[in-house]
């Protein structure tokens, strides 16, 4: 008897669940929907007059599309990984922030050493400060926010970001709706190494070499030892995939910014799309392949530069 290449040894149940889920997407969505025919279109910020990363807040398969399927969600939680999809993200007032709703997507309750959340800032919104010794990274996915430090203020638009070292006085504000993804963690300090404030945008960062791989990689933070994590932006054209089936000690928090594909986590295979969030614990097997008509781009948190002990 021949085995399907995606089947897990010992049971066909994971394969059945995967195929049923994939079939649901294909039936429910047509044209340029989820898992559509692979006619390659290189999407740009001006494609169809849509703003960059618009599908993060308006995904192809949105909560409204699932309202006739009571109880259905693509979200899954395991001890070593989780997929948190838009229809199950719960927003509530964000402590210490004004006029802001947030969904905590990854927290230490899952086993992580960082938090990741989406913050939806409304009119006249303002951020609070993180707790003492907590560093913060902000990435704008919708709208424009103002970052103020000391007597200086600057505008952060979509695809812009800021890294704030621990105990740096700052505030974010917005006069119109805006959405930011935020990472926070307790800084692991090293003697004689002090991180600095970083403000930038993805398009200003150089493409880095990825020996043995085909995806495009940008790192948003310096690689020096003062920084105990980095944020990667990874781009895949349709049909491209990771050559290395990764298993490593690093933790990941991932937000799919554009496109769609298949993510392997452990022994499970998940269809994913823009707006989905993934938590990966240390040593969980992980692999990605891009599908659809346009590029996949995801933002990835990764702890670096520290001894695991």
């Amino acid at each position: 008897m021949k085995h399907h290449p995606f089947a897990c040894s010992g049971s066909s149940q994971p394969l059945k669940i995967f195929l049923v889920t994939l079939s649901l997407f294909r039936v429910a969505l047509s044209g340029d929907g989820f898992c559509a025919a692979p006619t390659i279109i290189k999407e740009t910020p001006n494609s169809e007059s849509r703003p960059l990363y618009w599908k993060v807040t308006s995904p192809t398969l949105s909560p409204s599309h699932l309202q006739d399927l009571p109880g259905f969600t693509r979200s899954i939680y395991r001890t070593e990984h989780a997929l948190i999809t838009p229809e199950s993200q719960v927003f509530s007032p964000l402590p210490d922030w004004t006029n802001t709703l947030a969904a905590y997507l990854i927290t230490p309750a899952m086993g992580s050493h960082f938090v990741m959340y989406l913050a939806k800032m409304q009119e006249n919104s303002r951020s609070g400060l993180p707790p003492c010794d907590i560093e913060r990274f902000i990435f704008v996915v919708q709208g424009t926010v103002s970052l103020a430090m000391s007597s200086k203020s600057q505008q952060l638009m979509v695809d812009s970001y800021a890294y704030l070292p621990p105990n740096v006085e700052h505030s974010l504000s917005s006069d119109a709706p805006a959405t930011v993804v935020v990472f926070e963690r307790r800084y692991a300090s090293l003697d004689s190494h002090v991180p600095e404030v970083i403000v930038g945008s993805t398009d200003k960062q150089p493409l880095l070499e990825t020996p043995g791989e085909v995806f495009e990689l940008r790192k948003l933070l310096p690689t020096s030892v003062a920084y105990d994590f980095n944020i990667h932006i990874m781009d895949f054209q349709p049909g491209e995939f990771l050559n290395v089936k990764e298993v490593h000690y690093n933790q990941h928090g991932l937000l799919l910014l554009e496109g769609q594909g298949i993510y392997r986590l452990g022994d499970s295979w998940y269809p994913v799309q823009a707006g989905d969030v993934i938590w990966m614990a240390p040593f969980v097997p992980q692999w990605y392949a891009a599908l659809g008509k346009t590029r996949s781009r995801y933002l990835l948190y990764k702890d670096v530069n520290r001894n695991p002990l």
Side-chain angles (χ1 to χ4, degrees), residues 223-239:
T223 58
S224 59
V225 297
Y227 300 87
D228 58 2
F229 73 90
N230 213 313
I231 301 293
H232 295 184
I233 298 291
M234 300 172 66
D235 292 343
F236 298 78
Q237 295 304 317

Side-chain angles (χ1 to χ4, degrees), residues 96-206:
D96 301 321
W97 292 47
T98 303
N99 295 335
T100 303
L101 299 176
Y104 279 96
L105 304 167
I106 299 174
T107 76
M110 304 168 76
S112 69
H113 57 227
F114 67 96
V115 299
M116 175 183 179
Y117 57 92
L118 281 174
K120 293 185 175 181
M121 306 180 72
Q122 306 302 316
E123 293 182 7
N124 302 316
S125 57
R126 189 179 182 87
S127 69
L129 287 171
C132 183
D133 297 334
I134 299 298
E135 56 191 334
R136 172 181 280 175
F137 181 91
I138 301 156
F139 186 92
V140 182
V141 295
Q142 179 194 36
T144 301
V145 300
S146 178
L147 172 64
M149 292 178 293
S150 301
S151 58
K152 297 181 180 179
S153 180
Q154 53 189 308
Q155 298 295 107
L156 301 181
M157 298 179 290
V158 173
D159 215 28
S160 298
Y161 60 89
Y163 167 77
L164 293 313
N167 309 318
V168 169
E169 292 283 337
H170 68 276
S171 69
L172 286 177
S173 60
S174 182
D175 295 327
T179 302
V180 296
V181 57
V182 184
F183 294 90
E184 295 173 346
R185 62 167 286 177
R186 187 168 299 279
Y187 180 64
S189 61
L190 290 177
D191 292 342
S192 303
H193 297 281
V194 179
E196 299 179 350
V197 172
I198 302 292
V199 178
S201 62
T202 301
D203 62 349
K204 300 298 184 183
Q205 303 309 310

